[in-house]
Amino acid sequence: MKFALRFKTFDLPPYGKESSCNFKNILEGYASTKTGYRLPNVHTLHNQVHIVVGGVMGDVSSPSNDPVFPLHHSSVDRILRL
């Protein structure tokens, strides 16, 4: 989390999960938490929780259908508030 906060830019072109060195993709889990660069099949921080929980939550494209989804995101909001 502290590494992601070092990046002042929220998102960079092409404005998707392919961009590197921006806060959004490091926090979401699409970029390395050590370098900030996008690597194929990297799932860290936020995405890792979805994968570990499994079930519908493990399918990153449709986790909002899982009852544990609101609990997970409430926790993420709580951490970001600190």
Side-chain angles (χ1 to χ4, degrees):
M1 178 66 169
K2 286 184 180 184
F3 181 77
L5 289 171
R6 292 175 32 192
F7 292 86
K8 303 297 181 198
T9 304
F10 179 75
D11 200 3
L12 293 168
Y15 303 109
K17 62 184 179 181
E18 291 79 26
S19 59
S20 296
C21 299
N22 64 70
F23 176 79
K24 182 188 76 145
N25 285 343
I26 295 169
L27 185 67
E28 286 291 330
Y30 296 118
S32 169
T33 55
K34 293 183 176 32
T35 65
Y37 288 96
R38 169 88 167 117
L39 298 171
N41 300 317
V42 169
H43 295 288
T44 59
L45 291 177
H46 174 256
N47 286 347
Q48 190 63 38
V49 174
H50 285 272
I51 292 166
V52 169
V53 170
V56 176
M57 276 283 285
D59 179 9
V60 178
S61 63
S62 65
S64 60
N65 297 327
D66 195 307
V68 78
F69 181 82
L71 297 173
H72 163 58
H73 279 274
S74 295
S75 180
V76 169
D77 293 344
R78 181 185 59 82
I79 291 168
L80 288 174
R81 186 187 67 200
L82 298 177

